[in-house]
Amino acid sequence: MISDTEFQKAAHNNRRIFDKIQGLYRQLPATTCNCRKPGTCCVFLPEMTLMEALQWLRVIQQQPDDDRKTLIVKFVEFYLTNPIRHMGCPFLSEGHCGIYEFRTFACRAYGLWSQATGRERTRASRDGKQTLVKMWQRFGIDLPAESLVAEMDYCDQVDCNSGAAVSDDRLMDVLEEIYRLDNELADLQTKFETEYHSDFSFLITALVLNPKKAVLGKMAVIKELSMTGTEQRLKKLLSQIKPENINTLD
Ligand code: SF4
């Protein structure tokens, strides 16, 4: 049985792997974003592998106390209020990525996939959100119509600085190599994927509240937000956060 604190220890112990991830990221071309509203694509959290999640956990562990607490509260609020509220990635700061060096493969590849692949991925993501709406309906909760923000069309505003586009096959090769790094922690990877649905905000919430309170709390928060628009449950849960559960282990 793997305890949740194993994620904490793994984030501390796998810095060697994080160097490998950075090496793989460097195989992607440098890009320029020509969007007039940078950061609008960061409304949801990116998909990520276990090692990328541990790398993010390490980033949070290493923040000064106040910054760490602020980030943790943002991630918990993101988890508890999503899908009704779309507050954006907690690392987004004034339209810019606050952890540019550590942003995930998914963040880096957005805009690099061919338009055909990008549109297909956007379609699959929109379908996933409709499935989510039906899941909440099974719990007796109808998400308010205004909460069902349509995912933006796939971006065509990213240019490779070298001028040469990178192929989908090349992107898939790099992604597969990043996935293979998870093999070193296969049990933890299975737990992250099956119990946390590869959702970093869920992992953080489980660490600072506890897994059961995270799940039941989210149900209560979404129910209250969707039915009355009030946020008493949300405020109560945010007051119960234990940021000390995510401390640097150095
Ligand atoms: S990590 Fe950075 S680039 Fe990725 S979604 Fe968050 S703010 Fe955007």
Side-chain angles (χ1 to χ4, degrees):
M1 178 74 179
I2 302 171
S3 73
D4 296 296
T5 53
E6 289 301 314
F7 286 103
Q8 283 264 69
K9 289 184 197 151
H12 177 75
N13 294 334
N14 282 281
R15 283 167 280 182
R16 180 180 52 86
I17 306 286
F18 303 154
D19 290 342
K20 286 189 187 173
I21 295 179
Q22 290 295 327
L24 290 165
Y25 288 162
R26 282 194 288 276
Q27 292 183 24
L28 300 176
T31 55
T32 300
C33 170
N34 301 308
C35 180
R36 288 192 185 163
K37 291 186 189 167
T40 45
C41 54
C42 300
V43 69
F44 304 113
L45 276 185
E47 292 173 28
M48 66 183 77
T49 66
L50 168 69
M51 286 298 179
E52 288 182 306
L54 294 179
Q55 186 176 233
W56 275 23
L57 192 51
R58 176 87 185 145
V59 168
I60 294 177
Q61 284 174 334
Q62 290 186 307
Q63 298 295 314
D65 285 353
D66 285 352
D67 294 351
R68 184 167 67 239
K69 189 173 175 198
T70 302
L71 269 173
I72 289 170
V73 170
K74 279 190 187 176
F75 269 106
V76 173
E77 187 171 352
F78 179 99
Y79 170 73
L80 292 174
T81 62
N82 169 44
I84 285 193
R85 290 185 181 166
H86 302 283
M87 53 185 275
C89 172
F91 285 128
L92 189 63
S93 174
E94 296 176 3
H96 297 285
C97 178
I99 52 158
Y100 199 72
E101 185 187 342
F102 298 102
R103 70 200 194 283
T104 63
F105 173 88
C107 304
R108 291 161 198 264
Y110 188 75
L112 285 180
W113 297 104
S114 65
Q115 284 298 308
T117 300
R119 280 197 291 267
E120 177 54 27
R121 292 170 76 92
T122 301
R123 189 199 57 74
S125 176
R126 286 172 178 160
D127 287 352
K129 294 203 171 51
Q130 288 305 322
T131 305
L132 209 62
V133 170
K134 288 180 186 145
M135 184 203 81
W136 283 104
Q137 281 171 342
R138 282 201 295 277
F139 293 127
I141 296 172
D142 284 318
L143 299 177
E146 61 270 23
S147 70
L148 304 176
V149 175
E151 188 166 340
M152 59 187 282
D153 289 337
Y154 184 63
C155 173
D156 61 0
Q157 296 294 313
V158 175
D159 289 332
C160 293
N161 293 353
S162 66
V166 60
S167 70
D168 288 348
D169 286 346
R170 180 69 196 125
L171 288 172
M172 279 308 297
D173 287 346
V174 175
L175 180 57
E176 280 170 16
E177 282 196 62
I178 292 174
Y179 265 105
R180 268 198 290 277
L181 295 175
D182 280 4
N183 292 344
E184 302 222 7
L185 293 174
D187 289 347
L188 208 58
Q189 193 272 341
T190 301
K191 185 176 171 98
F192 182 58
E193 205 170 298
T194 57
E195 295 181 27
Y196 293 97
H197 313 293
S198 301
D199 178 347
F200 185 75
S201 67
F202 184 11
L203 175 62
I204 291 293
T205 307
L207 287 173
V208 297
L209 289 178
N210 74 47
K212 193 174 170 189
K213 193 181 270 191
V215 173
L216 296 179
K218 177 161 184 155
M219 297 280 295
V221 168
I222 295 296
K223 195 169 185 177
E224 185 187 349
L225 281 176
S226 63
M227 294 176 97
T228 66
T230 55
E231 47 182 43
Q232 286 177 17
R233 301 264 186 177
L234 174 64
K235 284 181 180 159
K236 187 170 179 193
L237 283 161
L238 293 180
S239 74
Q240 294 171 351
I241 288 174
K242 293 184 178 161
E244 65 274 15
N245 287 4
I246 300 182
N247 279 339
T248 176
L249 304 180
D250 291 334

